[in-house]
Amino acid sequence: MSELVHDAKIKIDDPRYDQNTYSGRAKHFFLTTNPLNLLATSQQLDEAKRIVEEYRHGVIARTGMTVDDLWSAKYLYDSAFHPETKEKMFILGRMSAQVPCNMLITGFMLTFYKTVPAIVFWQFVNQSFNSIVNYTNRSGDKPITNTDLMKSYAVATSAATATALGLKAAVSKLPPIMARFVPFAAVAGANCVNLPFMRWNEIRDGIAVFDKDGNRVGESSQAAKKAITQVVLSRIGMAVPGMIIPPIIMNSLEQKPFMRRRPWLNSPIQIALCGVFLTFTTPMCCALFPQKSSLPVAKLDANLREKLLRDGMKETDRVYFNKGL
């Protein structure tokens, strides 16, 4: 039986599992990216938020609450509310929506890759979804203007589509299997464009950085660059198995008589395969880097570095920041 909350001392603002280890981070993200979190009603989300916020102030929401009950509320809260702004995130932008949304989009991109209209349409859909996710999971609490948002969205979507069309033309004389990898190359390239553009205001203005005690000490563009680089690598890692292995499998299956008699199975099989891979790669790649990332004072922006050194910090001391997802 789980321990009662009033008998335990829980650091509710820290994840339940050790974030200094990959396994601890993976356990954390398997819970927060669980697609079942999307089924929670607004009332359940608000109740989870109430339980967490009351516990922060030393109040136990109900008699007999166990440690497992509290952590269940915390992970539901983490899945739906931004860690810095505390606002409820748009449902399609939550990381728990990654598996169901991406399995459909990726499956269709891998199925419909042969014609220009299909490539343009599905790259447009994919980058629209990515833009929602990137904006929703940005780091920091500084709002992005509608003008900057639309500029970033237009550049990212155009870049993805141009990459896909350019690669399609480049592989036209290569074996057919190579054309199947065009969607992955386009997605990987577009991630390198979409994320920095959607979070450009963070690079320009910096993101909040904190000392080891959680005190906000300033904003840093260098921290933003490190955060965005880590997220780009994680996103590409998420896409690799689901966009590389299914094309190889399908290239073999399509030669089989049963598939030739049932070509309509192509899309459902690819969607199912993508779903299987994304169920694991989403949390595992979110866990590649700590959510609370850090930089030594020596690598911060010059003005902030000088300020912190004047305030008594050393160049080897570290500051911490939320890298976003």
Side-chain angles (χ1 to χ4, degrees), residues 237-302:
M238 287 180 204
V240 169
M243 298 194 80
I244 294 294
I245 299 175
I248 296 173
I249 294 173
M250 294 308 299
N251 197 60
S252 174
L253 284 180
E254 287 177 0
Q255 312 305 316
K256 308 294 183 183
F258 82 93
M259 279 296 291
R260 289 182 177 178
R261 291 194 301 269
R262 303 173 183 84
W264 57 269
L265 283 174
N266 191 304
S267 186
I269 291 174
Q270 297 218 65
I271 290 172
L273 287 171
C274 291
V276 170
F277 287 116
L278 285 167
T279 297
F280 295 95
T281 59
T282 298
M284 292 174 72
C285 290
C286 282
L288 288 175
F289 305 99
Q291 183 64 32
K292 183 187 286 185
S293 194
S294 67
L295 270 179
V297 171
K299 292 188 177 180
L300 292 173
D301 316 61

Side-chain angles (χ1 to χ4, degrees), residues 5-319:
V5 170
H6 64 73
D7 294 329
K9 292 183 178 179
I10 297 171
K11 294 182 178 179
I12 197 65
D13 289 320
D14 294 333
R16 187 174 192 175
Y17 303 103
D18 184 5
Q19 297 299 284
N20 292 318
T21 67
Y22 176 76
S23 62
R25 295 194 297 272
K27 289 177 183 177
H28 170 76
F29 283 111
F30 265 103
L31 291 168
T32 55
T33 65
N34 185 347
L36 295 177
N37 291 332
L38 295 175
L39 301 179
T41 65
S42 292
Q43 290 80 4
Q44 289 172 318
L45 294 177
D46 291 338
E47 174 66 7
K49 181 179 182 180
R50 183 181 70 83
I51 290 171
V52 171
E53 291 186 343
E54 287 187 357
Y55 189 81
R56 283 190 179 122
H57 294 94
V59 178
I60 298 174
R62 62 174 184 265
T63 304
M65 177 178 286
T66 65
V67 171
D68 286 343
D69 291 336
L70 179 60
W71 279 116
S72 293
K74 177 61 162 55
Y75 276 108
L76 186 58
Y77 170 82
D78 284 346
S79 75
F81 292 88
H82 193 278
E84 290 179 279
T85 66
K86 311 302 181 187
E87 295 175 352
K88 188 182 292 184
M89 296 184 286
F90 178 53
I91 189 168
L92 292 182
R94 300 173 195 170
M95 292 307 291
S96 46
Q98 281 282 294
V99 172
C101 291
N102 262 334
M103 68 182 281
L104 289 171
I105 295 171
T106 304
F108 284 127
M109 280 197 296
L110 293 176
T111 302
F112 304 108
Y113 66 91
K114 295 181 180 179
T115 67
V116 170
I119 290 174
V120 171
F121 177 75
W122 286 109
Q123 286 299 327
F124 167 77
V125 171
N126 185 53
Q127 290 311 311
S128 297
F129 174 66
N130 282 345
S131 296
I132 292 171
V133 174
N134 294 339
Y135 175 73
T136 303
N137 293 280
R138 65 197 183 280
S139 176
D141 50 13
K142 292 184 178 179
I144 181 172
T145 65
N146 289 335
T147 301
D148 285 345
L149 186 62
M150 292 309 298
K151 285 180 181 178
S152 300
Y153 170 68
V155 169
T157 304
S158 300
T161 305
T163 301
L165 293 176
L167 288 171
K168 182 181 184 302
V171 302
S172 60
K173 296 182 180 179
L174 297 176
I177 182 67
M178 299 305 296
R180 290 181 177 272
F181 298 123
V182 167
F184 167 69
V187 166
N191 269 321
C192 297
V193 176
N194 193 318
L195 256 164
F197 270 95
M198 289 303 294
R199 294 174 59 174
W200 172 249
N201 64 322
E202 296 177 27
I203 298 173
R204 182 189 61 208
D205 304 327
I207 58 175
V209 294
F210 303 83
D211 63 18
K212 62 181 180 180
D213 298 318
N215 300 308
R216 186 168 179 160
V217 296
E219 289 78 34
S220 169
S221 294
Q222 292 301 319
K225 292 174 184 177
K226 180 176 180 179
I228 291 169
T229 299
Q230 290 180 338
V231 175
V232 167
L233 293 174
S234 295
R235 293 286 185 82
I236 293 174
M238 287 180 204
V240 169
M243 298 194 80
I244 294 294
I245 299 175
I248 296 173
I249 294 173
M250 294 308 299
N251 197 60
S252 174
L253 284 180
E254 287 177 0
Q255 312 305 316
K256 308 294 183 183
F258 82 93
M259 279 296 291
R260 289 182 177 178
R261 291 194 301 269
R262 303 173 183 84
W264 57 269
L265 283 174
N266 191 304
S267 186
I269 291 174
Q270 297 218 65
I271 290 172
L273 287 171
C274 291
V276 170
F277 287 116
L278 285 167
T279 297
F280 295 95
T281 59
T282 298
M284 292 174 72
C285 290
C286 282
L288 288 175
F289 305 99
Q291 183 64 32
K292 183 187 286 185
S293 194
S294 67
L295 270 179
V297 171
K299 292 188 177 180
L300 292 173
D301 316 61
N303 291 340
L304 180 58
R305 181 175 66 246
E306 292 170 6
K307 172 185 175 294
L308 295 181
L309 292 176
R310 287 197 304 270
D311 290 343
M313 294 185 74
K314 300 176 182 177
E315 288 197 341
T316 53
D317 289 339
R318 302 189 78 85
V319 295

